[in-house]
Amino acid sequence: MLITIGLGLVVTTFMGALLWSTLAAILFQPLFQRLLAHWPGRRNRAALVTLLVITVAVIIPALIVGSMVVDQAAGVYGQFRSGQINVASYFEQVHDALPQRLQQLLDNSGFGSFERAQAQLSEAISNSASMLARRAFSIGANAAAFVLAFGVGLYVTFFLLRDGARLGPAVVGALPLEHRVATRLANKFVTVARATIKGSVVVALVQGALGAVTFWIVGLPAALLWGVLMAIAALLPAIGPAIIWGPVAIYLFATGAIWQAGVVIASGVLVIGLADNILRPMLVGRDTGIPDWLVLVTTLGGIELVGLSGIVVGPIVGALFLTGWGILTEKRLGTRAAEESARSPSQADPGP
């Protein structure tokens, strides 16, 4: 245990890269197996081609979109600083367009006055934009560390793809648990990891892309940035992308952009909302056994604890929690049934 903890401390700098390497190897293992079937015995070649597919299909588009989002975020931050974007005036326009009773309800709320709420919301949005810009600048400042972690991730992914069929059973066999329990936990880990990436991340990216296209159609500035925010919100079950397109539609209605608001609502309900119901069953294909409320709590908690990786880490921890306690419950019930059976007479009472 001490040696394992020491190894964890040594590689803690690359923990995020190792996690995403493991997830990539799990997700693209079927592709690797198909390539290996075409090239029997050529595991290095199959792993290299799979890694090339990952780079072209996932990594390069992500870097391009990320650079564009950083540019738009920096531009929005500059507009906040220069006063070109006045969030307070936007909230005032929405407030004035609301019915009189709703205006009075807002004015008499716990904020004391709507002006105070307006100031607090404006400050929160401005701080969020400032934080986003600072994060973007910090990524640029730590470019060397990012490139190093990125290279380590690709390097490890190659070996996990090539040797995954051998490393997986070896890890399961080394766990200090009964083989049946260790196998069950490992299968749950793989299932939830695949379901989270395919059924949550991919669907969220599709919904974010649809949102960005919708915002571009209605002429909203920084449409790509809003689309990325919608993709992040789509990771949360129950509420999802409506957190983004709902307030946008309200603002458009309040400012007199009726047809633009109608397009946003129609797209949010008929296109973006239905994308989850259509794509998730196709991509996941089976139930992970995690209730939506636990997915919501673990996703938010995971993001708070470990950052972006918490999108996957949180649901996995929640699933392993349910599985572990389920195994313990089954064992206790089995032990109790065995004890009751041992206490019962060996033969039934023949009666009078």
Side-chain angles (χ1 to χ4, degrees), residues 14-240:
F14 303 103
M15 198 64 71
L18 295 176
L19 171 65
W20 287 102
S21 297
T22 304
L23 297 176
I26 291 174
L27 189 63
F28 287 90
Q29 188 64 214
L31 175 60
F32 170 76
Q33 294 297 334
R34 288 186 180 182
L35 294 174
L36 190 61
H38 287 286
W39 300 316
R42 302 292 182 88
R43 304 185 69 86
N44 288 334
R45 178 185 297 180
L48 282 174
V49 173
T50 305
L51 197 62
L52 180 62
V53 171
I54 295 173
T55 303
V56 174
V58 178
I59 296 175
I60 293 179
L63 292 176
I64 294 175
V65 173
S67 63
M68 296 171 64
V69 170
V70 169
D71 290 340
Q72 290 193 1
V76 171
Y77 176 63
Q79 291 177 340
F80 272 111
R81 293 291 300 273
S82 63
Q84 296 180 15
I85 297 180
N86 189 349
V87 181
S89 64
Y90 294 158
F91 281 108
E92 184 178 354
Q93 288 177 330
V94 175
H95 173 265
D96 295 339
L98 294 174
Q100 188 66 30
R101 289 187 177 181
L102 188 54
Q103 291 183 24
Q104 294 177 357
L105 179 63
L106 289 174
D107 293 338
N108 296 327
S109 63
F111 291 99
S113 65
F114 188 75
E115 285 74 17
R116 180 180 174 187
Q118 187 176 310
Q120 291 185 353
L121 291 172
S122 301
E123 182 180 359
I125 295 178
S126 300
N127 291 337
S128 300
S130 176
M131 182 187 66
L132 184 60
R134 288 198 302 268
R135 289 290 180 88
F137 294 148
S138 65
I139 292 174
N142 299 324
F146 173 78
V147 171
L148 179 60
F150 184 75
V152 170
L154 288 179
Y155 186 72
V156 173
T157 302
F158 169 81
F159 288 100
L160 291 179
L161 285 169
R162 191 190 68 178
D163 304 326
R166 176 177 58 85
L167 292 176
V171 172
V172 173
L175 293 176
L177 299 169
E178 295 181 11
H179 182 71
R180 181 180 65 86
V181 175
T183 302
R184 187 169 170 181
L185 290 174
N187 291 336
K188 177 60 69 172
F189 173 85
V190 173
T191 299
V192 176
R194 285 177 175 170
T196 302
I197 296 176
K198 295 167 62 177
S200 296
V201 176
V202 173
V203 173
L205 292 176
V206 172
Q207 291 180 311
L210 293 174
V213 172
T214 301
F215 295 146
W216 175 76
I217 291 175
V218 300
L220 197 70
L224 183 60
L225 178 60
W226 286 105
V228 171
L229 294 177
M230 181 177 292
I232 296 174
L235 295 170
L236 305 177
I239 44 181

